[in-house]
Amino acid sequence: MSKVLMKGNEAMALAAIKGGADAFFGYPITPQNELPEYLSHHMPANDRVFVQAESEVAAINMVYGAGGAGARVLTSSSSPGIALKQEGISYLAGSEIPCVIINVMRGGPGLGGIQPSQSDYNQITRGGGNGDYKVLSFAPENLQEAVDLIKESFPLADHYRNPVMVAVDGLLGQMMEPITLEETEKTQAAGKKEWAADGGYGERGYRNRIASLYLDPYKLEEHNLKLKGKYDEMREKEQRYEMIETEDADIVFVAYGTMARVARNAVQMLREEGVKVGMIRPISLFPFPKKAFEALPERTHSLITLEMSLGQMHQDVQIINNGRYKLDFFGRTGGVVPEPEEIVEHVRAALKEDA
Amino acid sequence: MKRLTVISGHYGAGKTEIAVNLAIDFKLDALIDLDVVNPYFRSRSVHDLLTRHGVDLIESSLPRSSGSDLPYISAGSRRPFIDTSLRAVYDLAGTKAGAKLMRQFSSLIDAETPLDFFVVINVFRPETSTTEKIVSLIQTLEGAAQLRVSGLVNNSNLMRETDASTIQQGESILREVSAETDIPIVYTFHPENVDVKESDFSGTVRPLRRYLAKTWL
């Protein structure tokens, strides 16, 4: 298939269809509405299920039901809607039900605004639900990457039997970019899910039971350790990142999503001034790409975290830093997307202070 | 150019960029933003630019509400139909929902009204990639707006990856649409940095300046 020009939300919806989503359950919220709108036409046209639920809470519980029955399930929302879904996400993780969640972030807290933001980092990586659980999460920088990650998320969710979240900010949801969706590419088939509550006894001779309830504390502890084993496997296998001009970098930006797009320009502008700047672009948020920092050259002395929030990912940078680098932060929030010049100005001011 | 131009099309076709370009290039008196669908990239987001060019931006009844997606239409949107000294462009939201908003002016429009209803097409948008799909879109828009489409606008592009052959693919498909519907291709837009041979394309060939999208993104 040749290139097509698509709006982020449409492209992500189409990617979910190509990725083999059997069912979508969701509730409208700006700035992700084109996603369910697109699916409302195209899921039925492809003999798949589309349901607009009566609320986010209902939608995530429908995801639980359909996912538990063995279907490949998708839901999507934006920040306050994801907050509403957190209880269900904890139940999905606890019951080991795979699903894919697309989060098109907007400004918060509370109802916040409808302009782009990255202030969901904490609720993506730390969860808003209860318990020792993690959500495998990715934050693409452009639409092609978003499409590819969504297609990959369905088999990953099945593999880990865990929710996978793909998080973009509203700008990526609303912007247009050319993408390719290889028609010939066969997504890894879901295969028979032996654990699914499929309504029958199967060859096992008994009905599967899906629940997150363990009244015996020793059994619950054992269950938690089993879950931890999966999160450790994610930490080992799923750390994803891009190193941008870090080979000779004295200063390294840490930025993801739209902020990384802005920062790419700042890297070039500063390099033209002779400041050797590079960037680590986390693609996986959980697991946080620790390996990227281990690959920095000896000469790197400072890390500057850049976010469209007041410093949420920065906490993860602080955790892995362990006193090694001088740390700094620059962020805009509330729906403001900074211009590259603001980052350049921030670096110039920091350099002046150091001199 | 007629006194009133209405810009319609599938969403993501480039309607707003084209409306803003026409308003500035032809020094129109007003741009009426009737986009009640999109939360971002609306002409109201370039309010200051339009003001500098002397274009009056008539938008939501909650002016400058770029942070809102409430479908409030300003009563000022009727002005160009009443004050016949005004030259204006109407920027509709995409597809049927957007085109329907023109019906509120039905009682102010007759056969003598100097009005063009243009449909912007980018053949790289999957919903308008073939002659059949475009003809069907034209019929849908005409029904929704209760207006006859009077011109096709070729805005076929792949953003930064656009070259002359990209626009040429749009030209080929739109020629078929034109033959089938008897609607002429009135404009062909190309990115400022892409040189095209004017004689290869139909209608007025014009560069499109990108005012809404941040080019560095």
Side-chain angles (χ1 to χ4, degrees):
Chain A
M1 189 179 170
S2 53
K3 288 212 168 173
V4 289
L5 186 65
M6 292 189 85
K7 195 169 186 172
N9 286 329
E10 288 179 324
M12 292 191 289
L14 178 57
I17 293 177
K18 301 273 182 200
D22 298 308
F24 173 90
F25 306 97
Y27 187 77
I29 181 168
T30 307
Q32 62 87 56
N33 283 328
E34 296 83 359
L35 202 155
E37 187 193 7
Y38 185 92
L39 291 176
S40 70
H41 301 295
H42 293 268
M43 287 293 266
N46 284 279
D47 292 323
R48 321 275 179 94
V49 174
F50 173 90
V51 178
Q52 179 176 320
E54 67 267 39
S55 71
E56 284 88 350
V57 177
I60 196 72
N61 284 293
M62 291 175 185
V63 169
Y64 186 103
R72 275 189 164 162
V73 195
L74 173 75
T75 187
S76 69
S77 194
S78 174
S79 311
I82 296 292
L84 280 164
K85 285 179 169 153
Q86 290 288 10
E87 180 197 53
I89 297 171
S90 165
Y91 276 65
L92 283 152
S95 303
E96 298 189 80
I97 298 174
C99 71
V100 177
I101 303 161
I102 298 174
N103 178 7
V104 185
M105 295 182 274
R106 60 187 243 182
L111 214 42
I114 62 170
Q115 299 297 319
S117 166
Q118 296 181 327
S119 55
D120 282 8
Y121 186 88
N122 285 349
Q123 76 158 341
I124 295 165
T125 60
R126 268 70 170 167
N130 58 305
D132 283 325
Y133 77 96
K134 291 283 179 192
V135 170
L136 179 59
S137 41
F138 300 114
E141 180 200 33
N142 57 54
L143 299 189
Q144 187 64 54
E145 191 173 52
V147 160
D148 295 342
L149 283 169
I150 287 166
K151 283 199 290 183
E152 204 187 335
S153 289
F154 288 95
L156 280 172
D158 286 341
H159 172 74
Y160 290 108
R161 284 184 58 189
N162 199 70
V164 176
M165 188 180 290
V166 176
V168 297
D169 62 79
L171 195 62
L172 284 163
Q174 293 294 325
M175 76 189 304
M176 314 246 328
E177 253 176 6
I179 55 156
T180 20
L181 279 148
E182 292 304 332
E183 288 286 5
T184 52
E185 192 181 315
K186 283 267 181 293
T187 311
Q188 202 181 318
K192 180 116 184 76
K193 295 178 178 177
E194 285 303 331
W195 52 265
D198 52 9
Y201 291 80
E203 285 171 13
R204 330 174 268 280
Y206 59 88
R207 284 176 188 262
N208 283 327
R209 175 180 163 276
I210 292 179
S212 59
L213 179 70
Y214 293 82
L215 290 174
D216 179 344
Y218 295 99
K219 289 228 165 89
L220 181 53
E221 185 183 49
E222 198 184 309
H223 176 59
N224 268 284
L225 290 170
K226 181 193 170 198
L227 298 183
K228 181 180 179 293
K230 298 198 296 187
Y231 307 138
D232 286 342
E233 186 187 337
M234 290 176 198
R235 285 187 183 97
E236 186 52 45
K237 293 184 185 161
E238 310 300 344
Q239 287 189 34
R240 302 194 195 184
Y241 54 90
E242 185 185 356
M243 312 282 288
I244 299 144
E245 304 204 38
T246 50
E247 301 80 8
D248 62 344
D250 297 319
I251 300 169
V252 170
F253 293 152
V254 188
Y256 68 95
T258 290
M259 198 59 175
R261 293 174 77 116
V262 180
R264 276 178 195 273
N265 293 271
V267 167
Q268 290 318 315
M269 289 157 79
L270 285 160
R271 279 190 172 263
E272 278 162 28
E273 294 179 15
V275 187
K276 290 201 158 46
V277 183
M279 173 158 65
I280 289 174
R281 179 173 75 86
I283 297 169
S284 58
L285 299 184
F286 176 81
F288 190 66
K290 213 174 151 183
K291 291 175 189 167
F293 297 85
E294 290 158 9
L296 287 176
E298 274 301 309
R299 62 181 293 166
T300 303
H301 55 70
S302 302
L303 301 179
I304 306 178
T305 315
L306 307 170
E307 290 181 75
M308 277 148 56
S309 83
L310 291 180
Q312 300 191 8
M313 179 175 69
H314 192 48
Q315 290 175 343
D316 275 337
V317 177
Q318 286 169 323
I319 290 167
I320 59 108
N321 186 48
N322 201 17
R324 166 80 177 79
Y325 302 103
K326 181 172 184 276
L327 297 185
D328 191 8
F329 172 79
F330 173 82
R332 298 296 303 266
T333 195
V336 180
V337 182
E339 300 282 328
E341 289 78 6
E342 294 177 57
I343 300 170
V344 171
E345 207 39 64
H346 180 87
V347 174
R348 278 193 203 130
L351 288 172
K352 206 176 270 176
E353 215 168 89
D354 286 350
Chain B
M1 191 181 198
K2 289 189 181 165
R3 192 173 64 78
L4 303 175
T5 305
V6 180
I7 304 289
S8 186
H10 185 68
Y11 78 81
K15 295 178 296 297
T16 297
E17 290 280 17
I18 285 171
V20 171
N21 271 266
L22 291 177
I24 290 173
D25 294 355
F26 292 100
K27 301 186 188 336
L28 301 182
D29 301 303
L31 186 154
I32 298 91
D33 176 3
L34 290 184
D35 190 342
V36 292
V37 175
N38 283 308
Y40 300 177
F41 306 118
R42 296 182 286 199
S43 44
R44 63 195 69 166
S45 63
V46 288
H47 174 273
D48 295 343
L49 172 91
L50 291 167
T51 307
R52 274 204 305 282
H53 283 87
V55 180
D56 189 7
L57 175 69
I58 299 171
E59 42 144 327
S60 165
S61 55
L62 295 170
R64 310 301 308 279
S65 54
S66 70
S68 134
D69 57 351
L70 298 168
Y72 292 164
I73 303 296
S74 168
S77 58
R78 301 168 79 88
R79 251 174 56 211
F81 286 103
I82 297 159
D83 180 349
T84 54
S85 71
L86 295 177
R87 294 161 68 236
V89 58
Y90 283 79
D91 174 23
L92 302 183
T95 55
K96 203 175 164 181
K100 227 182 221 175
L101 265 71
M102 284 310 293
R103 280 205 218 172
Q104 64 187 304
F105 310 119
S106 289
S107 62
L108 303 168
I109 300 171
D110 59 32
E112 307 303 312
T113 310
L115 178 143
D116 265 322
F117 184 40
F118 293 157
V119 175
V120 179
I121 302 287
N122 176 357
V123 298
F124 292 93
R125 296 283 291 141
E127 311 291 334
T128 53
S129 56
T130 64
T131 305
E132 296 71 38
K133 286 178 177 178
I134 297 167
V135 171
S136 154
L137 174 71
I138 290 169
Q139 287 164 352
T140 303
L141 294 175
E142 287 185 332
Q146 296 287 295
L147 289 171
R148 282 267 169 232
V149 172
S150 54
L152 303 171
V153 177
N154 181 10
N155 186 38
S156 295
N157 75 88
L158 283 167
M159 308 291 279
R160 269 174 287 189
E161 297 172 29
T162 308
D163 58 25
S165 74
T166 314
I167 309 164
Q168 191 61 56
Q169 289 186 54
E171 172 79 18
S172 315
I173 293 176
L174 285 185
R175 274 190 194 172
E176 284 177 26
V177 174
S178 187
E180 201 172 317
T181 58
D182 270 335
I183 303 170
I185 302 170
V186 287
Y187 286 107
T188 297
F189 283 95
H190 63 89
E192 279 184 288
N193 58 344
V194 175
D195 287 327
V196 295
K197 213 169 113 200
E198 288 202 14
S199 56
D200 288 347
F201 297 99
S202 305
T204 311
V205 180
R206 298 190 63 86
L208 187 73
R209 279 184 196 88
R210 299 191 61 88
Y211 292 113
L212 280 100
K214 290 177 193 286
T215 45
W216 48 262
L217 259 181

